Amino acid sequence: MRIAVAGGTGTVGHHVVAHARERGHHVVSISRAEGVDLISGRGLDQALQNVETVIDVAGIQTVSTKKAVDFFTNATQNLLAAGKKAGVKHHVALSIVGIDQANSGLYAGKLVQEDEVKHGGIPWTLLRSTQFHEFVPMSVKVSSVGPLVFVPTMFTQPVAAKEVAAALVDAAEAGPKGRTSDLGGPRAEQLKSLVAAYLDKTQQKKRIIPLHVPGPMGNAMRNGSLIPAPGSAVGRQIFLEWLEAIDAA
């Protein structure tokens, strides 16, 4: 199969590209670094020539609802329009568990993306996953002020990016299925505990300051809404195993 991976150089995207190639598919990676811009549409038509399936894992790092909604609206519309023009038969998109209960910031953007995909005119599959293990170091980076790191009170069930990537390639091979079973990691955790383990492992002497996020987003973080429902798909690698692996590397 000829597969295009939007966001192919990102946290999940580079694993998707590798998995798909290992399984014998012809893969086109789509990113600004590779001369394709989802927002302007530059290079999209050429990238999608003869492509049968698109896997969209493109994203943006922001806490701004407007920026997230604008990005996912424009990027998804452009990707779907170019896909229809190229004759793409299956559009696979990665989303986030719990976005119905936490509709601000990145989550609001993902809700818009899901709606665009459902009404985009190409047979589709949506996979919602929990946060990746890589979410923890990213949180530390963006939430640190000097020796302090502000950590939201949050239940999470982090999953390995590699396992999410494998599930997306599975979905591409299975054909359009609509919304598939959510995917989470094997263990529910408090984000604060994961951050503490990461700081200890990387020998960063920072003090964790608990952060009480207000509104629907904060409620979703605290009440378990961002944890997959019973019966969802479950990954294998726990956060501490991932942490040991990156430390060894």
Side-chain angles (χ1 to χ4, degrees):
M1 184 163 32
R2 188 174 174 90
I3 298 173
V5 182
T9 58
T11 301
V12 176
H14 79 280
H15 289 303
V16 174
V17 170
H19 272 296
R21 285 178 176 159
E22 285 169 7
R23 297 190 195 183
H25 301 296
H26 180 88
V27 182
V28 178
S29 180
I30 294 175
S31 70
R32 283 195 301 272
E34 293 155 317
V36 185
D37 192 319
L38 293 178
I39 300 302
S40 69
R42 176 175 56 88
L44 258 182
D45 288 343
Q46 295 88 338
L48 295 186
Q49 283 183 1
N50 302 315
V51 164
E52 299 163 75
T53 298
V54 168
I55 300 177
D56 183 8
V57 290
I60 182 174
Q61 289 189 11
T62 183
V63 295
S64 164
T65 297
K66 184 181 186 307
K67 286 182 180 178
V69 168
D70 287 349
F71 173 84
F72 285 108
T73 300
N74 296 332
T76 307
Q77 286 179 350
N78 287 340
L79 196 52
L80 289 165
K84 281 197 285 189
K85 192 186 299 183
V88 168
K89 296 176 173 59
H90 185 195
H91 187 100
V92 181
L94 176 63
S95 192
I96 307 174
V97 170
I99 58 176
D100 305 297
Q101 283 73 45
N103 57 350
S104 64
L106 190 65
Y107 290 64
K110 281 293 184 180
L111 273 174
V112 168
Q113 180 189 28
E114 287 192 2
D115 190 61
E116 293 288 349
V117 169
K118 291 173 184 176
H119 301 96
I122 297 176
W124 53 274
T125 300
L126 283 171
L127 170 68
R128 288 183 178 184
S129 85
T130 53
Q131 302 287 355
F132 319 128
H133 296 319
E134 288 84 354
F135 174 68
V136 174
M138 185 185 76
S139 295
V140 171
K141 183 178 179 180
V142 302
S143 303
S144 290
V145 180
L148 307 179
V149 56
F150 295 86
V151 179
T153 303
M154 176 180 177
F155 278 109
T156 183
Q157 197 165 316
V159 64
K162 279 185 177 181
E163 294 176 351
V164 175
L168 288 165
V169 178
D170 288 344
E173 293 175 342
K177 301 292 183 185
R179 184 173 161 193
T180 61
S181 177
D182 292 351
L183 173 61
R187 184 182 296 177
E189 312 261 15
Q190 277 282 0
L191 180 58
K192 179 182 176 181
S193 299
L194 302 181
V195 169
Y198 174 74
L199 292 175
D200 181 61
K201 199 68 177 176
T202 54
Q203 299 182 344
Q204 297 185 56
K205 298 189 182 302
K206 291 180 180 288
R207 181 183 171 196
I208 296 174
I209 306 298
L211 185 65
H212 186 90
V213 177
M217 174 63 81
N219 290 335
M221 288 178 167
R222 293 184 292 274
N223 67 18
S225 293
L226 307 185
I227 302 296
S232 299
V234 179
R236 296 179 300 278
Q237 186 188 54
I238 64 172
F239 177 78
L240 290 179
E241 291 171 336
W242 173 83
L243 195 57
E244 290 291 342
I246 63 162
D247 184 66

